[in-house]
Each structure stands twice: as structure tokens, then as C-alpha cells.
Amino acid sequence: MVALTEAYIDSIALNAASIKNGKDLVRKNSFPILNRTKDDTLLFGECKGSGKEPYRCSADFMHQEQPVYRCSCPSRQFPCKHILGLLYAAAAGQTFSVAELPSDIAEKREKAEKREEKKKEAAVTGDGASPKRKVNKSALAKKLAAQLEGIELTEKLLKQLATSGLAAADARALRQYEEQAKQLGNYFVPGLQASFRELIDCLRSEKSASSGYVEAAEQLTSLHSLLKRGRDYLTARIADPEMAISTDSALEEKLGHAWQFAELREAGQVREQVELIQLSFRSYSDQARGEYVDEGYWMQLHDGQLVATRTYRPFRAAKFIKEEDSYFHIVQTKELAVYPGEWNRRARWEEMTLRETSAADWQAVRQHAVKSYPDALKTIKNVLKNPLSDKNPFMLLHAARIGQTEDGYAMEDEQGKRIALGHIEAIGQPTLSFLPFIQEGSLTDCAVLVMFEDRLDTGRLQAQPLALIAEDEAIRLLY
Amino acid sequence: MSIPLLRELHEDMRRLFIAGASLAPNDLRLEAMLPKLERLGEAAPVFKKVAETVSGVLGASPDQAATKLLDLSVLLHAILHTQGSAEAAGELRPIGLKDTLETAPTAISYRKLQPVIDALTNSGSGRLEAIRQANADGLFADMRTVVPAVAALEDTYSEIAEYVAEEVLPKIGQRALPVLHASFDLQGGSGDARKLTAIYRLTSKEETAAAKELVRKAAFEGSQPVRIAAIHLAANDSDFEEKLLELSQDRKKEIRSAALLALSDSDSEQALERLMEALVKKDTAIAAEPIRRSGNPKLKERVLAFGEELLGAMAADGKSVSWLERMLAVLGGLRSPDEHAAERDFLMRLLNDDAIDVTETSRIQSEAAEALLESGHPQALAFLHELRHKRPNLLAYSFKAAIRLEQPADAYEAYRPYLDDRKGPAAKQLLQVFHEWVPGPLHELRHSLENVQQPEPSIVWDDRWVHRFVKMNEEDLVARLAVKPDKEVVDYLFNKANVKSNIATYRTTTILLALVRLGHEDASELIMSTIEKARPKQIYYFEEETDLLIASLPSRYADRIRLVEDRFYYEEARNKLLELADLVAAKAEEDTTKGAGLLSWIKSKVR
């Protein structure tokens, strides 16, 4: 059986509340029966619930790397609090009496084995590679046509908004736009719909009028270029049905395509045998999309490339989807799928193992920090000028020292070139105030993960530090 | 490149987006800018492009204006995004911690840390619990909690602010000082008062001088809550006594009160003089508390002398009320555990003095009687006991003194006659004493459950009282006093339990608990039937005492409890019943423990 630690159990729980609920069950002695099999491959027990019948839950460690959890409760949260409670009880060293393997679980194990065998057989008989998925051409043509229609509708709305003026968009007008944004749901362009909603939200917030609609104007502009590029792309695809889905920019994702892992693999967007180290993490709610976004900022250890992981949890289903957490271990994955895009590309994995982080890993991270600020800024500005790219690129920079000038905090490279540090809207959470709590030694010759934001109204390119990599540790300023 | 011109253009463009792109084709400012752009375009292709796009906007049909303006916007954004300035000029000064303090760890994960930060900075319920848990889990070692913790000192939910000030900040320690200093506002509210206290407590010994200086400044220049906090902090600072004397003459009463309280820690002649002056002159009301706290014998002497003086004046002029407040303050100031003969004598003379026995002095008399009772001195108690003949309005004090002083039987004999006129003022006073001093079965149990000290030393009551109350039909007092299974008492309670019984009322649960305590054989059946009679929607959840009642049932009732569960409407009540049914079922049938033994058994099971 795997060594059951509380940290491990915490990591499989969906969210902090289910951790608490699971622990509460143990505290309240809600498990009248706690059993294990002789070979220690199965923990099972009964947990008192609100109904007359207790819930029967179990944790099957037949395959250690992939434990199977089962519970008779109707909860949609999985693993449910009963399973977590069972595991916490084991981690806390409660006595589990030896018992026979329950027959229903024996049956399930058998079935699972058969499935496994079938899979293996199929793999042997097949040619190894998964067959290329067939594309239904007429369906695709219909979809593309609908998407083009969606683009035209959005263009119309945008034009209407720009012609009558942002100031004219009062509460009533915004409600109408909101209605029309709903209709965009019929055209397979959820990304576009979210962007348009973001614009409406932006106009609705009281801030926009007082700050002179800077953000609204920015959003308007990038939406306009997205529509333009999208129209060209879709028209080309309709004209040439053989044309492959675009992977040279984030255009597809911006329009709303949800890339599947297999699709990315087919499109050659998979990197093999990658080790990733997390530098920072945050979670925020994206009102326009109606989703929570858990965002991790990672470095590929072998080449220093930065990628982002993003898990979207729709508000309505948030309870049933795992809330991501900060990682302090190195993630090792056989396949890392990377989404099309320009700079900090989005990445994800299906399977991974963890290993402890060592001082050498942090050394490697520091090696990859960009040393020259003029070079760094040039790169960042090039990213920013592309209307389709991320408005808040991030980068790991080396700092000879971090300190304070008359105007605020700043960092300096070895050539004495500086970048001013400040708060950016996208993060919305202070991190600079922690700098005075860090030992002076860690503020010199360190690596800093910063996120950028370019304010056109002030002409300032702001950088906010998210994490600091000192000699052999990371100081996380965010999460 | 002439970037300012482009920024100007960008501003104009935004103005047009706000006002509406339909105005763009005839815009005068755009028209004026075009030639400049064209001129620059001759040298730089970028400007040429911009100039072309601008002229596209100017020449657009009303229908096309928006699209053209958006095109211009895309172009301008692309150019301007390459021009952002990240400069930071001037001297770069170091900011980090010096060698003395290490960087606090930041190895707490998002899912653990975020709820605490939310609890510290947002509003809503359940936050204090989250903060307590985080403190227990050691989360405040993480440096990311420092700023939110300091912010929480200003929380409108004052329990959170207090908890953070008392329990959390001491754990964070000196790390919090820079944040506290940066956010401390001399003119702020109670949050800033807490910050000042925290600064003073956290500052290391080497730097006390600076902290003291801040406190002194705050005592004079701060807002009211900040000044009061500063004065409290300065109480033990002997160098500051001069200033405290000055502050005790402040314009604001709250400040004077705080300063007087701070002075009560001092034994200096000036401080005593000032306290006395406050008592005699205009600050009578706020002087009592500091005088009581001071405990200085010299001060007591003077207060007593002043009291004598007042007593003389009162006797001479009984109708005037000008001395009333001062006398109350004198009595308040004299109240302390170590009273000696002179004060006792003074209090007794005051109570004995017929010249001042008028309606206006009733408060003074009560205060004096209370003080004597509190002293517990046999002479004082005997005096109060005797006073029953002379001062019927103080009968409650006499009775309380007698209970402490006399044998139970003697106390009964002496005071029983006062109950004869049961509606009279004397009877009312006595009944009030019983209500105050006899804990109900419930009360008793709850105290032992929570391991709280009993408020009063347990008193032995004469057995005749309970019979007397049966006759008077004081059912609550009977339930409280019934400790021996006497037939008359038990029957009385049993009959009462059958009248208008309702499990949701205090009255019924008290009587039923008393029957359980007395070990009545039908108590279980009665409890069960009372629960079965309850209306389904009447009970949201069971009170603790009802839990105890149900838990007292023998195991054979387990099935009936399960059956009755269905009748109740609310989830909470139903769950509790099932839980209790399990508890009852787990009892051994032969467990026939009764009375007090049963209560302690329940106690061990319910918690």
C-alpha cells in the first residue's frame, strides 16, 4: 500500500471544504466499521450518513499508481468526504481490523482486469498508433459556416457599439447587448462570446467611465482584430476543406475551440519526457466566462521555457471539479501537450508523477533567467504588439538587486538597466508589500518571475513580481 | 519617432470611441493632426501608414466610420505597445531585512492559505473560526499573512480584530512592525488604537524609547480611541506621570477617565491628590473605578473621611440630592475585597442612620448593603441579618446574609413568615433570592458539563422550603430545590409534568429533568410520551437539555425514538433523534442507574 500521508490525501481532495468535511467525519467517530484486507491492498469501511443505511466506502490499492476509490453515497463530489475520511482515519493510525475481501469489490476487480486485458490485446493486434480520427466533412462545413455567421454577428454588434459611442452604452443598452451575447452561443464561438461579454462587463463596471474607458477601448480593439483574423481564417477553411486546423497561433482557442489532448498530439503539439517546476500559482474568477480559473506558472526544467496551466471550473459545477493547488514538487510527465500560441503557451498533461524538488533544480531555474533587461523588454513588447497574444505575458528575469527609488520599487540587471515594479490590474493582489520582509541577501543576485501589463494611457509598462528564486528556494509572493 | 504625437492621437481616438465613431469623419482635431503625420511620414514609413489610416477615417462614409476607426486603433495599439516605458530613475536603495531576521517561509499552498487571507480581509460569517484554525495550524508563520493580519485589526467584527491583536500578532512578532508603522494613523479609529498597542508590545527592548515617544505623542495628538489606547499603555511609565496628570484635566471626559485609571497604578502623592480631587469635584462618576483599583491605604483613608463628611451633610439635609452621586462614588471606591473595620463601621452607620432613610437614598443603601455582604465578615453578616426588622426594603440582603451566617433551620424559621403575604414586597424579595441562588437541574448540569466553577458556593437549604413552595405552587422553585425523593414533592412535580406539557418549553424540560434527578420510575415514559406529542414543525433542533432528557431513556426506548423521528419535519431535529437513538440503544439494559448517577452518565456520553 502507498504510504498514506495527510498531504497526499489533501492533494486528491477536490477542495478545502471537502478536506475539512473528511477530517470532521474522523473526528466525530463516524466510522463504526474500519476494515482492511490481509494483503493490505484494500481499505474499506462504513460511514454513518443522514440516511438509515450507512455508506460503504473503500480505497483499492491493487494498482498503487492508480488507486480506485468507491463509495455508495450519492454525492457528485468525487472522491467524496466518506472516502477522504476513510483515508484520513488510516493516515491517523486508527485500527483497521483484518476482514475478507467483500464480494462486490472482488467482482469489480475481476471486471477491471478483463478490461485491462482487452485493452492490451487490442494494442497487440492493432498497429500501435491510435487511428486517426475521422472528420465528418459536411458537419465541419456546417460548423465553419455557423462560426463565420457568429463572427459577422459580433462584428455587427461591435460596429453598433463603436458608432453610437461607449458613453451611450447605458444600463438598458448593455442589457440588450447581453441578450445578443447570449445568442452568440448558437454559433460555436464560445471564446468570441466570452470576449464580447468581457467588453460588456468592462463597460458596466463603474471604473470604466472614471478611468476614461481605457480598458474598454483596448478590449474593443483586440476584439476587432480577432474578428478580422477569424474571418480570414474561416473563409480560407471554407474555401479549402482539406486545410488543417490552425496551430500557428492561439486563434482557434480565442474563437473558442477546446483542444483535446489527442487533437494536440495529432497536430504535433506534444513534448515528450518533460520535467516542470511551478514558480507561482493563482486562482481567480472570470466573470465573463462564468468560470473560476486556476492558473499555474511553470518552467520546463530542460530548456527554461515558461508555460501556463489553466483549469477552468464553471461556477455552477465548481464543487465537482478539483480546485487546483500550488505544487511544491517537480512534475514529471511523459507527454506534455502544448496549446498553439505565441509566448507563454498553455500546457497540460494527462499523467504525471511527482518528485521532490532539490537545490539543484532551483539552480537550473536561475540559470534560465533572462539577464539583459533591454532584450527582455524587446521580447515582451513584441508579444504585446500582437493583438491576439496574451496581454499579460510573464517572464523570469535575473536581478542583480531589487530596491526602492523615489518612485517605487525597481529591479536592476547586471548592466545597471532597470525595470520598475508595480501592481498590475490583471493580478489585482499586492505582492510588492512583501519585498521588505525578505532578507537583503535574497534580493540581490536572484531570479524574479514577473508579469507585465502595458498601460496605454500612462505609457507605463508595469511589471509585478510573482515569485522570487533565491539561492535554493522559491519565495512565493502570490501563491 | 515622435511618440507624443501618437499618444495624442490615441487620446483623440479614445475620445471618439466614447462619443461615438459616427463623429469621426468630421473631427477637427483629427483633421488638424493629419498634416503633421503626413510630414513625419515622409521620413518614417510607420507614420505614413498612420497618416493613411487617419485619412481613411476622415474620408469614411458614416456607415464605415466605426470600422475605419477600429482599424486605426489596431494600428496605434500595435505601435504604442512597443513604446511602453519601464524606467525607474534615481538612486536604488536596499529594502530587504537585515541579518537579524530571516525570510519567513512561503511554503503554504494556495488552498490552505487563501481561505485565511479571505477570512482576514473579507466580510461574512464563519471567519473567526477559520482564523482560529489557521492559527492552530501555524499558518501565520507565512509572510503572506502579515499584511492581511494587520488589516484585520480594523475589522468591523470586533471579535476578529481582538483575536488577531491578542493571539495572532504576538505569533507574527516583530515582522509585523514595518506594516504596523506604515499603516498606523494617529487620527484613525479603534483599529489604529489596536495597532498602537501592538507596536508598543512588539517593539524590542533596544528600541523602547522610540515606541514610548510614539505613545506619548499619540496620547496628546491622536484621535480619541488612539489617545485612550496610548494612555493605557503609558500607565506604568513613571516618567509619564506628569503628562497623565495633565491629561486627567482634559476637555474630553473619556480621556480624563482613561488618565485617572492610568494614575491608579501610581502611589505618588500627586496621583492620590488628583484622584481625590476628581472625586470631590466635577469628575465624581469616573473617579470611583480608579480609586477602587488603586487600593492605596492612604487614599482609602481620605475617601473614608470624605464619606464621613458627606454622611454628616446628608443627615443635616436629607432632602437635597446634591450629595447622592458623590456618596455612590465613595461607596464604589471603597468596594474592594480587603475591607477593614473602619470601612465596615462606616457602612453600618450609614445603613443604621434613620436621618437618611428616605426614598432618595435607596440606591446608596443597596450599594452599602451589597458591599457589606460581599465582605463576608461575620460582624457585617450579623448586622445585615438584624437589619431585617428596621429596613424592610433591604430584606433580600438580610436573607442572603442569614443564609451564609445561620444554620439552615434557623434561617428558615426567621424568614418563613415573610412568605405569608405571598404577593407582598417582602415575599417578592425572598423569591427573587431563591431564583438567583438556586441553580436549576439544567444549570447545574451545564456548569459541570462545561467545567465551569459554580457561581455561588453550594448552599444547604432547609427541607421545609420545598414543601412551602409546593403549597405556594411555585413549580419552578420546587423543580430546582427537589433533591430528595419525597412523596409529596414527587407527586406534585409528576402532576405538573402532565399539565400542558410541551417538550419545547423550558418549564417542561426543567420539571422532567427534576423527575429524572429524583429517579422517578415513570419519568422515562413521561419523557417519551411528551416527545411523541410534540408538533412536527415545532422543533427545528433540540436544545441541549432536551438531548439530555432523551439520552437518559433506557435502551428499550431506542426503537420508539427511531419511530418518532419520522414525525418531525426539520432535518436537524431528525438527525439528532437518530443519533440519540443510537446512543440509547448502546446502553446496557441492566443499567438502572438513577438520579445524580444517571446525570453523570449522560454527561460522559453526550460530549
Side-chain angles (χ1 to χ4, degrees), chain A residues 10 13 159 162 166-167 212 218 221 224 323 325-326 381 404 418 420 437-440 454 459-461 476 478, chain B residues 14 17-18 21 63 71 73 81-82 84-88 90 93 96-97 101 103 106 109-111 144 175 179:
Chain A
D10 287 353
K159 199 166 148 184
L166 299 178
E218 181 104 9
T221 308
H224 178 65
E323 181 182 25
D325 201 357
S326 331
K381 285 174 177 175
Q404 197 170 22
R418 290 193 192 153
F437 298 131
I438 297 171
Q439 261 216 334
E440 190 56 38
D454 191 27
R460 296 291 294 177
L461 179 58
R476 291 184 180 233
L478 206 55
Chain B
R14 211 173 68 213
F17 273 134
I18 296 168
D63 183 43
D71 286 343
S73 178
H81 272 310
T82 64
S85 157
E87 270 168 43
R93 296 185 310 277
L97 294 174
L101 283 173
T103 310
T106 58
S109 77
Y110 164 78
R111 288 205 316 206
R144 290 167 292 181
R175 265 182 241 291
V179 187

Side-chain angles (χ1 to χ4, degrees), chain B residues 51 54 110 144 148 174 292-293 354 384 528 580 587:
Chain B
V54 169
Y110 164 78
R144 290 167 292 181
Q174 298 196 2
R292 193 183 58 74
R293 283 240 294 231
D354 292 332
L384 284 174
M528 195 64 232
L580 287 166
K587 271 194 214 179

